[in-house]
Amino acid sequence: MADYKYTPLDEEAGEIRLLTLLPGRFNTPICITLETKILSSKKIPKFTALSYAWGSDLDCLNIHVVAKRGVQGVKSATLSVTRNLFEGLKHLRQIRRATVLWIDQLCVDQRNLEERGNQVLRMPDIYSLAKGVIVWLGPEIDDSNLAMKIFNDIGQDVIVDWALWKYHVDPSSSLYSHDLHLSSQQSLSITNLLSRSWFERLWVVQEICLTQKWVCMLCGFKRISSVDFGNAIIYLASNDSCNNATQRDILVGILKLFKLKEDSGFTLEMVLHENRHRTCSDKKDRVYAVLSLLPEEEKLGIHPDYTTSASDVFENIVFQYLKYKASLGMLRFCSTNDRSRDIPSWVPDWSTDHKIRPFEVVSADLDARAHAYSVSKGVIAVTGVCVTVVYEVKNNLPGSIPEDRMKSAKVFRQLLSTWVGQDHSDSSLSKLQSLCVTLCAGKFAEKYIPSRGSLPTKDVHDYLTSLHEWSLLESAEPPELCSSSLVVIRAINKMTKGRLLITTADGRLGLAPEGTISGDLVCVLLGCKSPLILRSSNSLSHEVVGECYIDGIMAGEALVGELPRNQMLVKKYFPKHRIYYYVLVDSDTGKTLLQDPRLGPLSAGWRIKNHEEDDTFNWYVNDITGEDSGNRDPRLEPDALRARGVEIQEFRLI
């Protein structure tokens, strides 16, 4: 029987293909029809979209494409599909009724690169206009029915506020009065289900997040709504009694998918990073598969082009970010340890699973406008200041601090002995405070408004102080490992993964990426929130090693000096925009400050203009020159900073 030949789509008319899965019993041959339909906001055919893991192209089976709809006796051609999709079609097929579906593997001519690119652009329409989405997780195996029942039972009793990552349990439910305790069989069934390949796939992010209607999770013949599934995920991820560390990592990774569905305000850089662990067959899809999640202004003029190389796509993102946002924010995700040789050091390699978490509550550049330009192929010139030099690097951070009283105490004893000292001097106490801040990269509950309850507060300092006292007294038993101590340990494990503790030439403590060496430069670049470790390649050029956290320079100190004692940089949540913005808070009064007192008065002609969002950020205009700087403060321009005595210089990155 001949292979099916696709008829080209009329892209200008808005055509897509829809698949009709013809009725039949479970083990009979699978028969479908393929028809072109116009899809627009005014003309919406009825269909359900399928989300699934593609599976191996080396393990395929044939299905039959019927020439005429409803005529099962005429099998005009065959199409090869992956085994996982084949199993999904068997489970989706009904005995007496046809089912209309959109499935990328069958409804897009995968050999036509131009059509693939065009249909990727249509996927927001396809998934948002579908009457619903079915998620095919795979056949029943490894107690999956048990796991699906657990998710269904928990999900119906939990109510989630995704914006704040918080949930509460229905007071009328059994979960409200009794903690959940899972048997080893139940726990293993959950781990097995969540380890299925669908949860690792990159394309599922937009497939789930874009739908405007219902989403149904299907495993074997068991179904559960995605709302209940997501509710159960956040409950289980927050419940210490029902999962081990490995299972918790799986839950947290999946939790991000459901938060993406419910949240907004994401930037391209964060969506790219949060999904680096997911799988896709084409490296370019690292970018193209998440574009549709973003508002138009965040897409930065990027369009799918499968004829270019992945390295060129990744490099283009940096320049588009610079063009549209005057930002070098993408450089925060660079790493010398996991990039391809054909990619410059200043270009993040999004095809690698970069497991290091970016620093969050940081604004070393105070959101200054980036000043950068392309010098030549693979070389970019950027502007900033060299703050200090790496003095000492010690690889004494464990891969993960054990959640065990004695084992964790021994790890902390070594850290405290190395970095704090063995006495109660003012110097040691100051080092202890710096160590507390650095190990958590300044990510504390009070650095968010409203406070993030899942993060450590002063518990870090209290816990490490008690460990320091224990270490000095050489007591037999270390402090108890309570729930707040576990929060501290988990926070430290997250922020120190893939990083080293360092000291700088001016005596500061910091976290730097693995691969950092003595003599590397600590630089703050205009347009990049985190300081970067740069390495001199020769007298004219530098390589990006990665972002770093240096206690005492994360709130603009390298540009405008120390913050007043009573002021703190925080991330404030604005419900209207469903997004966090950096603001200063007066700790004495609790008031939010939009003006940084360190900057001084605006120069001649500049003023802050009134605008609709003036409770969120300042807008700067110059009445003399007519310049409109938007929310970028003119006092942070290179010439203005030089006038303050800041040694602004140009770095050429290769």
Side-chain angles (χ1 to χ4, degrees):
M1 191 173 295
D3 291 339
Y4 180 76
K5 303 296 183 184
Y6 285 93
T7 302
L9 293 172
D10 186 345
E11 302 283 357
E12 292 186 3
E15 281 189 348
I16 65 169
R17 293 187 192 89
L18 291 178
L19 173 159
T20 299
L21 179 59
L22 299 175
R25 296 191 178 278
F26 186 74
N27 285 319
T28 57
I30 295 174
C31 298
I32 67 167
T33 66
L34 287 170
E35 296 180 273
T36 58
K37 295 286 185 180
I38 293 175
L39 178 69
S40 68
S41 58
K42 295 181 179 179
K43 197 167 186 178
I44 307 173
K46 292 183 178 181
F47 67 96
T48 301
L50 184 68
S51 177
Y52 65 105
W54 191 290
S56 173
D57 288 328
L58 301 177
D59 186 12
C60 293
L61 299 165
N62 285 337
I63 63 172
H64 303 287
V65 183
V66 176
K68 292 183 179 180
R69 184 172 179 175
V71 184
Q72 296 191 49
V74 182
K75 301 179 178 64
S76 60
T78 61
L79 271 173
S80 178
V81 299
T82 57
R83 181 174 295 276
N84 188 51
L85 177 55
F86 187 86
E87 290 294 328
L89 291 172
K90 287 170 64 178
H91 284 78
L92 286 166
R93 182 169 54 177
Q94 300 185 50
I95 295 177
R96 295 183 178 84
R97 212 169 39 175
T99 306
V100 181
L101 301 165
W102 187 89
I103 304 173
D104 59 351
Q105 194 175 146
L106 294 168
C107 295
V108 178
D109 184 355
Q110 298 296 328
R111 296 179 182 179
N112 185 330
L113 296 183
E114 183 179 358
E115 180 176 301
R116 275 178 60 191
N118 290 333
Q119 288 295 289
V120 165
L121 291 174
R122 296 297 317 272
M123 287 178 76
D125 294 334
I126 291 169
Y127 278 91
S128 62
L129 296 176
K131 67 178 184 180
V133 174
I134 295 176
V135 173
W136 169 242
L137 296 176
E140 177 193 347
I141 193 173
D142 295 330
D143 278 335
S144 58
N145 284 352
L146 175 61
M148 292 290 281
K149 183 179 187 306
I150 293 170
F151 281 115
N152 186 68
D153 292 346
I154 295 175
Q156 293 183 1
D157 291 339
V158 173
I159 302 169
V160 179
D161 182 342
W162 289 100
L164 300 178
W165 286 72
K166 292 183 178 180
Y167 73 89
H168 68 269
V169 178
D170 184 343
S172 64
S173 73
S174 59
L175 280 180
Y176 188 79
S177 54
H178 299 90
D179 289 335
L180 178 69
H181 295 284
L182 297 177
S183 68
S184 57
Q185 180 187 9
Q186 290 174 318
S187 183
L188 181 59
S189 73
I190 290 173
T191 300
N192 287 336
L193 180 66
L194 299 183
S195 298
R196 295 194 182 206
S197 55
W198 182 85
F199 294 101
E200 301 172 355
R201 183 172 169 262
L202 180 60
W203 281 104
V204 306
V205 178
Q206 72 161 354
E207 293 166 2
I208 292 301
C209 296
L210 292 175
T211 181
Q212 305 287 327
K213 311 291 192 317
W214 51 265
V215 178
C216 170
M217 318 288 287
L218 175 65
C219 184
F221 290 106
K222 294 292 183 183
R223 297 173 180 249
I224 177 177
S225 78
S226 66
V227 174
D228 289 341
F229 199 92
N231 292 349
I233 289 288
I234 195 170
Y235 177 86
L236 289 168
S238 307
N239 192 301
D240 291 329
S241 66
C242 67
N243 55 78
N244 54 41
T246 301
Q247 190 182 67
R248 191 182 307 113
D249 287 343
I250 295 173
L251 286 163
V252 170
I254 297 170
L255 181 59
K256 292 176 182 177
L257 170 61
F258 287 90
K259 179 169 171 57
L260 277 170
K261 175 171 173 54
E262 301 297 334
D263 214 337
S264 63
F266 288 98
T267 60
L268 175 59
E269 61 187 271
M270 292 310 299
V271 173
L272 286 170
H273 174 75
E274 292 291 359
N275 292 288
R276 288 180 88 156
H277 65 288
R278 302 190 185 280
T279 60
C280 61
S281 57
D282 191 322
K283 291 181 179 181
K284 295 183 282 293
D285 283 336
R286 290 284 168 196
V287 178
Y288 300 154
V290 300
L291 282 178
S292 56
L293 300 176
L294 303 167
E296 201 60 39
E297 64 272 16
E298 281 292 333
K299 295 180 183 178
L300 312 181
I302 299 170
H303 298 285
D305 180 1
Y306 286 95
T307 64
T308 190
S309 69
S311 59
D312 285 344
V313 171
F314 299 160
E315 185 172 327
N316 180 53
I317 293 175
V318 177
F319 285 115
Q320 293 299 96
Y321 231 67
L322 188 59
K323 175 183 176 181
Y324 282 83
K325 292 193 166 191
S327 169
L328 292 171
M330 285 292 171
L331 273 63
R332 299 173 57 208
F333 302 92
C334 295
S335 172
T336 57
N337 294 327
D338 56 12
R339 65 179 172 90
S340 303
R341 293 182 180 274
D342 62 337
I343 295 180
S345 71
W346 48 271
V347 176
D349 185 353
W350 297 110
S351 67
T352 62
D353 184 4
H354 185 65
K355 298 182 184 299
I356 300 178
R357 285 174 174 262
F359 302 121
E360 285 195 22
V361 193
V362 295
S363 189
D365 72 328
L366 294 178
D367 203 24
R369 183 189 307 278
H371 289 262
Y373 60 92
S374 174
V375 176
S376 59
K377 178 64 176 175
V379 182
I380 188 173
V382 298
T383 303
V385 57
C386 178
V387 184
T388 185
V389 177
V390 175
Y391 175 69
E392 184 178 25
V393 179
K394 289 198 175 181
N395 190 13
N396 64 345
L397 282 172
S400 181
I401 298 172
E403 293 185 11
D404 175 87
R405 182 183 183 189
M406 186 58 71
K407 291 179 181 178
S408 61
K410 288 180 179 178
V411 172
F412 282 120
R413 171 185 273 173
Q414 182 184 359
L415 284 172
L416 292 165
S417 173
T418 303
W419 298 102
V420 176
Q422 296 294 314
D423 56 56
H424 289 96
S425 66
D426 290 344
S427 174
S428 291
L429 295 176
S430 175
K431 290 178 180 177
L432 177 61
Q433 177 63 31
S434 181
L435 182 65
C436 293
V437 173
T438 302
L439 288 175
C440 292
K443 189 176 177 181
F444 302 116
E446 60 266 29
K447 289 293 188 76
Y448 292 83
I449 301 176
S451 174
R452 293 267 288 269
S454 60
L455 297 176
T457 56
K458 64 178 182 178
D459 298 327
V460 177
H461 189 269
D462 292 347
Y463 180 51
L464 292 191
T465 299
S466 63
L467 285 168
H468 189 226
E469 294 289 340
W470 165 73
S471 179
L472 294 177
L473 295 173
E474 297 186 352
S475 303
E477 293 293 329
E480 290 289 339
L481 197 61
C482 59
S483 58
S484 61
S485 306
L486 288 174
V487 170
V488 170
I489 289 174
R490 289 168 188 169
I492 293 173
N493 282 340
K494 288 175 183 177
M495 299 316 301
T496 59
K497 186 174 185 178
R499 294 189 169 109
L500 307 168
L501 274 172
I502 65 168
T503 55
T504 62
D506 58 351
R508 298 185 184 277
L509 186 62
L511 284 175
E514 291 177 348
T516 300
I517 60 175
S518 178
D520 284 343
L521 308 181
V522 177
C523 301
V524 172
L525 304 183
L526 301 185
C528 185
K529 294 184 185 300
S530 295
L532 298 178
I533 299 290
L534 301 185
R535 181 169 299 154
S536 298
S537 179
N538 53 52
S539 59
L540 297 176
S541 59
H542 297 80
E543 292 186 6
V544 177
V545 179
E547 73 166 345
C548 63
Y549 186 98
I550 308 296
D551 185 33
I553 70 167
M554 306 306 292
E557 293 90 341
L559 301 181
V560 296
E562 299 287 332
L563 271 171
R565 176 199 58 79
N566 63 329
Q567 291 178 12
M568 177 172 62
L569 182 76
V570 303
K571 293 181 80 172
K572 183 177 180 179
Y573 183 72
F574 290 84
K576 178 180 177 181
H577 307 285
R578 301 179 70 187
I579 195 171
Y580 285 92
Y581 285 103
Y582 287 101
V583 297
L584 286 175
V585 169
D586 187 314
S587 57
D588 293 337
T589 65
K591 292 184 177 179
T592 297
L593 307 173
L594 292 183
Q595 279 279 33
D596 191 327
R598 298 171 294 176
L599 288 168
L602 288 163
S603 57
W606 286 99
R607 66 178 174 85
I608 298 172
K609 85 170 187 179
N610 295 326
H611 62 101
E612 291 182 356
E613 313 295 341
D614 55 13
D615 63 332
T616 306
F617 57 86
N618 290 328
W619 193 291
Y620 301 93
V621 294
N622 191 308
D623 293 331
I624 298 175
T625 65
E627 291 176 79
D628 187 332
S629 185
N631 65 338
R632 299 301 174 87
D633 198 314
R635 291 166 291 190
L636 295 171
E637 291 294 306
D639 288 344
L641 291 170
R642 290 189 182 100
R644 297 177 65 102
V646 182
E647 296 182 9
I648 297 293
Q649 63 184 97
E650 183 178 278
F651 301 89
R652 294 201 171 188
L653 307 181
I654 59 175

